[in-house]
Amino acid sequence: MLSPSAAQLEAGFARRAVVEQDSSRWYAVQCQPHRERGAAAHLANQGFAAFLPCREKTRCHARKIENVRVPFFPGYLFVHLDLTRHRWRSVNGTFGVVRLVMQGDRPAPAPGGVVEALIDACGEDGVLRWQADLTVGHPVRVVVGPFADLIGELEQLTDAGRVRVLLNLMGGCTPVFLPRTHVVPAESML
């Protein structure tokens, strides 16, 4: 039996390193209700890379209107794992975690590129930023601010990143200028 040369060993280690890099994927983690941030922090303390995409939401409570950061996928976050190297079962025992989303007896990976696209769409504060495809004359939903959840007609897009929306307020159509990021197409599921 021939023993491998040093070059063959190095080539084998290099291939193994590439395979190990390629075998790490993003996996969905189901969290306890309203415990996503805590679960992400506990996973990070254990050395796992956790990603919790968030969005801005306007909340009206006790005559106050405030913008709050909420998870984009309530009850879920993502963790980056290599199932061959990481002790992935310890994720299930983390405070705030219900379980890894499984496919049989193994964690089910998120579709390739989806989580990476979400990460690219996030700002430095972890809040998703995207530019929805808006068309003049189509209905839009206001998602942030005092007019949140109202649906109106998009009347104008400006180069300064603002939109003019006609909202049905107090029995008439009232034009309102808003930042472009505060509206989405009405058929979107935000």
Side-chain angles (χ1 to χ4, degrees):
M1 183 174 209
L2 296 171
S3 64
S5 68
Q8 289 173 330
L9 285 174
E10 286 183 13
F13 289 133
R15 277 195 304 273
R16 190 175 306 130
V18 169
V19 169
E20 286 178 1
Q21 288 175 346
D22 290 342
S23 64
S24 62
R25 302 275 308 267
W26 287 99
Y27 296 87
V29 175
Q30 183 182 6
C31 300
Q32 294 172 350
H34 308 290
R35 302 283 178 162
E36 299 91 350
R37 283 188 186 86
H42 287 295
L43 288 168
N45 286 341
Q46 295 178 52
F48 293 111
F51 172 59
L52 177 61
C54 294
R55 68 180 176 95
E56 293 284 332
K57 176 183 175 185
T58 300
R59 180 172 60 187
C60 301
H61 181 68
R63 290 186 233 151
K64 283 201 255 182
I65 297 174
E66 60 185 354
N67 290 333
V68 294
R69 187 178 301 167
V70 297
F72 192 75
F73 302 107
Y76 292 90
L77 60 86
F78 298 97
V79 65
H80 196 253
L81 297 171
D82 181 350
L83 298 182
T84 61
R85 291 184 313 143
H86 291 120
R87 296 178 45 168
W88 58 269
R89 283 184 170 80
S90 66
V91 171
N92 290 335
T94 303
F95 287 116
V97 170
V98 173
R99 64 183 177 89
L100 274 163
V101 175
M102 304 291 281
Q103 184 175 16
D105 62 344
R106 307 277 291 172
V114 172
V115 177
E116 290 83 359
L118 288 170
I119 292 170
D120 290 341
C122 281
E124 291 181 14
D125 57 356
V127 175
L128 285 171
R129 308 273 187 236
W130 72 92
Q131 294 292 326
D133 294 329
L134 301 175
T135 307
V136 173
H138 284 95
V140 293
R141 174 180 290 126
V142 180
V143 293
V144 176
F147 302 115
D149 294 328
L150 291 179
I151 294 179
E153 180 183 333
L154 182 63
E155 186 178 55
Q156 178 184 15
L157 292 163
T158 68
D159 290 336
R162 297 184 65 78
V163 295
R164 181 176 167 161
V165 178
L166 291 176
L167 294 176
N168 189 2
L169 297 173
M170 298 186 291
C173 284
T174 305
V176 177
F177 284 94
L178 300 166
R180 183 182 176 110
T181 57
H182 288 197
V183 296
V184 297
E187 62 272 3
S188 71
M189 295 300 292
L190 269 185

